[in-house]
Amino acid sequence: MSSPLRGADRQAIEELYSFFAPPRVRYSPLIPTPTQEAFLMLSAYEAFYGGAAGGGKTAALLMSALQYADVPGYHALLLRPSLTELALPGNLIDLSHDWLAATKASWNAEMNQWRFPGRTRSGAGGATLTFGYLRDDGDVARYAGTSFSYLGFDELTRFPELHYRRMQRVLRQPTGMQRGDPAPDGTCLADVPARLRAASNPGLDHHEWVRARFVDPNTRPDDVVYLPCRRTDNPHLDHDAYSKSLVDLPAAERERLMNGNWDIANDGELFKRDWFSIIEPADVPAATKAVRYWDLAATEPSAGNPNPDWTVGLRLDLHPETGVFYITDIVRVREAAGAIEELVAATAEADGPAVQIVIEQEGGSSGKAVTDRYHSHILRGYASSSDRPSGAKDVRARPVAAAAENGLLRLARGRNTNPFLDELTAFPHGEHDDCVDALAGAHSHLASYSGNLSASCGFVSGPLDGLRSGPGFFDGHL
């Protein structure tokens, strides 16, 4: 009988199955849940198991690391930011002792390593499972020259992206005399895929890059697999008791842990997500004064700097009658200097001559040379000026944070809405502050348009005398 699948459907299914290998479970006393089994079946090089707390992520990581522990020459490494965390009750080392204490595997406390039966051709022991920690760059350097078939990160949002990327150099299979005899089922080390695995809840220090790399389909690389998990995936969990333990958490943290919501970032010390009323662009009033503030980075990601700053061009509109500010557009890119110049010019043309353009000037003569080039060449014919901010970033951001808290800041839905909110609510503890700088700069310059706005801008002190005011802002341009 012919297959009912059409050609396109068959191709899609074949591509789906290319991610999977026959499931293999070793040294686990637990029967994997369906979601854990799917995680164990993945043969893709890089995969992430993330979502709600209680979804069985730690057990899935340990199961995954042990899948080939019966193959001599196989070595697995599981990482946490500190060794203390690995050994806490219910964490990886504690769980591994529950699983392996009654087996023929032996524990080396000095090396935090399990060794499994078997011999390699050089006479060395069989497979190993090592527990390690990664707190800083020095810890990354300690692993130079080592080789593992499996690398796993527990609570990935605790790790900087650069540490995650640099550690991938340890993923390589041993060769020659380090290879051993086959496992009892005939599996040889040559049959074992090199695998990079991670698991985490949303939130914590490095939420932003983990969400971008694994969760967001718009930024996730094509060869990276994301497997979401929910509390209901874990039948071994007392769901009622666990839910009660989360009731008193802050709302954002509770939503992340209970429902695995990656769209809620950490709230910082200055901005709260619920301060920003999101409106449709059509609801922005017509009679506004506007400024486009540019924080220029002009840097592309590279192997040495995979997570550089962003170039941000934020447009802020002010409705003079109500004193309400509207964030109407956010440009946020990582490009080389030439591409940024073209982008700034194109944005100025799209905004039109009525929008004041402000370029943040970096310190030193080179910063002045850059802004001078923009004013004399890139933005010739447009009203543009430079801004060289001074003082702490959090101090500069306080006036616009006060305006947001007092309901005087609206955010028009558009490109980069979510990254913008993620960055602001993580400030000052997040990885980037380019959107914060652009918003603070735009607000400072736009608020200086009229001194009589002081009572409506949400400032604690009231008057606007302390705000920076460049020469001739809006004079003859609006």
Side-chain angles (χ1 to χ4, degrees), residues 18-19 42-48 148-151 164-165 167-172 193-198 213-214 223-225:
S18 69
F19 284 113
L42 291 170
S43 61
Y45 169 76
E46 186 177 3
F48 177 68
F148 295 90
S149 301
Y150 179 97
L151 176 61
Y164 177 79
R165 290 177 177 270
M167 280 300 296
Q168 294 186 41
R169 63 186 178 182
V170 308
L171 272 175
R172 52 180 182 267
R195 293 172 298 155
L196 178 60
R197 297 290 182 262
R213 181 167 185 81
F214 296 101
D223 55 349
V224 171
V225 178

Side-chain angles (χ1 to χ4, degrees), residues 291-359:
V291 63
R292 172 80 68 170
Y293 191 100
W294 286 96
D295 181 0
L296 302 175
T299 303
E300 294 180 291
S302 64
N305 186 16
N307 190 23
D309 289 337
W310 295 83
T311 290
V312 173
L314 184 143
R315 174 170 168 170
L316 188 67
D317 288 48
L318 169 65
H319 188 235
E321 294 182 9
T322 61
V324 175
F325 295 87
Y326 296 85
I327 302 167
T328 54
D329 185 56
I330 304 166
V331 177
R332 185 175 183 262
V333 298
R334 286 166 165 165
E335 300 286 354
I340 294 299
E341 290 183 352
E342 294 178 1
L343 177 63
V344 171
T347 304
E349 183 177 359
D351 285 341
V355 178
Q356 171 77 27
I357 304 168
V358 181
I359 307 289

Side-chain angles (χ1 to χ4, degrees), residues 122-137:
S122 62
T128 64
L129 169 59
T130 304
F131 299 94
Y133 59 92
L134 206 62
R135 287 176 301 193
D136 51 39
D137 292 342

Side-chain angles (χ1 to χ4, degrees), residues 25-73:
V25 180
R26 296 293 186 272
Y27 290 100
S28 171
L30 302 179
I31 298 175
T33 67
T35 310
Q36 289 171 340
E37 186 171 289
F39 186 64
L40 298 177
M41 292 172 65
L42 291 170
S43 61
Y45 169 76
E46 186 177 3
F48 177 68
Y49 189 38
K57 296 182 297 299
T58 298
L61 269 184
L62 186 56
M63 289 179 189
S64 183
L66 290 170
Q67 279 187 279
Y68 297 96
D70 58 341
V71 180

Side-chain angles (χ1 to χ4, degrees), residues 207-221 262:
H207 170 102
E208 182 183 345
W209 82 260
V210 175
R211 178 181 179 273
R213 181 167 185 81
F214 296 101
V215 181
D216 188 342
N218 296 314
T219 54
R220 182 174 60 237
W262 286 90

Side-chain angles (χ1 to χ4, degrees), residues 79-88 132-135 158-159:
L79 294 170
R80 266 273 199 164
S82 73
L83 194 59
T84 302
E85 295 175 45
L86 284 164
L88 289 173
Y133 59 92
L134 206 62
R135 287 176 301 193
R158 296 285 309 282
F159 295 89

Side-chain angles (χ1 to χ4, degrees), residues 247-287:
V247 166
D248 292 330
L249 292 175
E253 186 175 357
R254 185 172 64 249
E255 175 67 15
R256 290 194 296 258
L257 295 181
M258 290 189 69
N259 300 315
N261 190 337
W262 286 90
D263 293 330
I264 298 178
N266 292 325
D267 270 3
E269 296 177 356
L270 204 59
F271 295 95
K272 304 297 181 185
R273 186 175 291 261
D274 59 8
W275 292 351
F276 291 87
S277 175
I278 300 179
I279 63 173
E280 297 304 320
D283 295 330
V284 176

